[in-house]
Amino acid sequence: MTVWIVLGVIVVGLYAWYATIISKRNRALEALSGIDVHLRMRTNVIPNVLTVAQKFLDHEKTLLTDITELRTRTDRDYDPKDADAVKAHLDAAQALGARMGQLMVTVENYPDLKSDATMLQAQQTYNETEAQIAAARRFYNSAVSSLNSAVQIFPGSLIAGIAKVQPMPFYEADEASRAPVAAGDYLK
């Protein structure tokens, strides 16, 4: 009788652990979906910014072309349960954000473009979208941290292996974003 009770407790405990891991994975996937919503908003804003900027920045074609290509890469479908596909998607989104940042800095060098009402509206919308992406990234990284801890610590690692749940990548800032800002470069 006690053997059955012990086995029952073990089975219930393993099921609870399994349910916790699946719940954490679903939370991370939900957070990733939130990031994707905001990334789609950003990809929808980018054509407006580029259309206005193109009128003034004929000699910045490489930057505009890079942004267009990165926008296309970021907008592609991917498998959210494949850690490598998620990482590639987040890397493309990060690269797009960096190039858009370069465009916004470039805009500052053109008084006519900087003061254009349409450009000001596009920049404001873009900045609001970037703030929403930052908030979604914090939520995603929190969910991923919880999931990764659950699937990498014993006995969760065994249960995750059986359930085919893998650790997910963090949405990290690129090296350029981590570098210290030299204010003198912008004040010349």
Side-chain angles (χ1 to χ4, degrees):
M1 177 79 160
T2 56
V3 171
W4 288 109
I5 293 173
V6 170
L7 282 175
V9 168
I10 291 172
V11 167
V12 168
L14 289 175
Y15 176 76
W17 206 296
Y18 168 81
T20 299
I21 289 173
I22 297 302
S23 174
K24 289 176 188 274
R25 181 188 63 186
N26 290 343
R27 184 168 180 251
L29 291 173
E30 175 190 1
L32 181 60
S33 176
I35 286 176
D36 284 341
V37 166
H38 296 298
L39 291 177
R40 297 248 181 209
M41 288 171 57
R42 176 169 68 183
T43 59
N44 291 338
V45 168
I46 288 172
N48 297 336
V49 173
L50 293 180
T51 300
V52 175
Q54 213 166 21
K55 296 175 188 174
F56 296 90
L57 302 176
D58 287 334
H59 60 285
E60 300 286 347
K61 292 223 185 277
T62 303
L63 178 61
L64 300 176
T65 302
D66 287 352
I67 289 170
T68 303
E69 290 172 3
L70 286 167
R71 178 183 177 267
T72 302
R73 277 185 35 210
T74 301
D75 215 18
R76 286 187 189 136
D77 287 337
Y78 66 97
D79 181 3
K81 292 184 181 177
D82 178 1
D84 292 332
V86 170
K87 178 151 181 41
H89 175 68
L90 295 177
D91 288 347
Q94 188 65 36
L96 177 60
R99 294 301 274 167
M100 283 299 294
Q102 288 176 339
L103 176 64
M104 295 304 169
V105 169
T106 301
V107 165
E108 293 298 317
N109 294 326
Y110 295 88
D112 292 340
L113 178 57
K114 188 168 73 172
S115 63
D116 183 78
T118 307
M119 187 62 182
L120 289 172
Q121 178 63 37
Q123 280 182 304
Q124 181 180 358
T125 303
Y126 178 78
N127 289 337
E128 289 168 0
T129 302
E130 284 298 315
Q132 292 169 350
I133 290 170
R137 178 175 31 211
R138 286 189 299 274
F139 178 63
Y140 170 77
N141 283 342
S142 173
V144 165
S145 177
S146 181
L147 171 68
N148 289 354
S149 294
V151 302
Q152 292 173 336
I153 297 172
F154 182 82
S157 56
L158 296 176
I159 296 168
I162 293 168
K164 297 182 179 159
V165 176
Q166 300 176 343
M168 293 181 70
F170 287 98
Y171 188 1
E172 299 176 313
D174 62 349
E175 290 302 316
S177 299
R178 295 180 191 165
V181 176
D185 293 345
Y186 297 104
L187 300 175
K188 292 179 182 176

